[in-house]
């Protein structure tokens, strides 16, 4: 299992892309892995505002908002063993 901890610059958000929904305001983001791996600050991923199909087809410039680090957790569970020296047990 892993998580990505991101920091984005709220001042860079194109506010025209904020969507008013029934339960609040939303911003669609796209997150990708750095092609060259970790940068000088240990960041492994970047975030930009999602683009419409028209934006992608028109090769519109991406609005990069920030970056972040991936943290990978070990999924192995280590079974605890208990020793019981009770010799009164019938088995």
């Amino acid at each position: 299992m892993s998580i990505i901890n991101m920091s984005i610059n709220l001042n860079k958000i194109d506010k025209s892309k904020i969507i008013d929904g029934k339960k609040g305001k939303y911003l669609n983001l796209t997150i990708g892995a750095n092609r060259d791996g970790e940068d000088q600050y240990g960041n492994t991923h970047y975030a930009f505002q999602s683009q419409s199909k028209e934006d992608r087809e028109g090769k519109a410039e991406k609005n990069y908002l920030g970056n972040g680090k991936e943290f990978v957790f070990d999924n192995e569970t280590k079974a605890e063993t208990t020793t019981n020296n009770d010799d009164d047990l019938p088995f």
Side-chain angles (χ1 to χ4, degrees):
M1 182 172 117
S2 69
I3 61 169
I4 300 172
N5 185 14
M6 303 289 297
S7 293
I8 62 169
N9 184 339
L10 298 177
N11 293 325
K12 290 185 173 183
I13 291 174
D14 177 355
K15 290 165 186 47
S16 70
K17 304 276 185 175
I18 295 175
I19 302 165
D20 283 318
K22 290 182 182 179
K23 296 183 179 181
K25 295 183 182 219
Y26 298 90
L27 178 67
N28 292 323
L29 298 175
T30 301
I31 298 179
N34 293 347
R35 288 184 182 164
D36 299 330
E38 244 180 57
D39 68 10
Q40 66 206 37
Y41 304 105
N43 294 312
T44 56
H45 290 74
Y46 58 90
F48 61 90
Q49 282 186 253
S50 297
Q51 294 181 309
S52 67
K53 182 178 180 180
E54 294 79 20
D55 288 340
R56 290 189 304 273
E57 288 175 351
K59 306 275 187 206
E61 188 174 327
K62 293 179 176 116
N63 184 19
Y64 289 93
L65 300 176
N67 48 35
K69 299 176 185 180
E70 180 177 21
F71 296 93
V72 179
F73 300 97
D74 184 8
N75 282 340
E76 287 185 30
T77 54
K78 298 178 181 170
E80 290 185 31
T81 57
T82 58
T83 306
N84 189 349
N85 291 332
D86 191 356
D87 293 335
D88 294 338
L89 295 176
F91 47 89

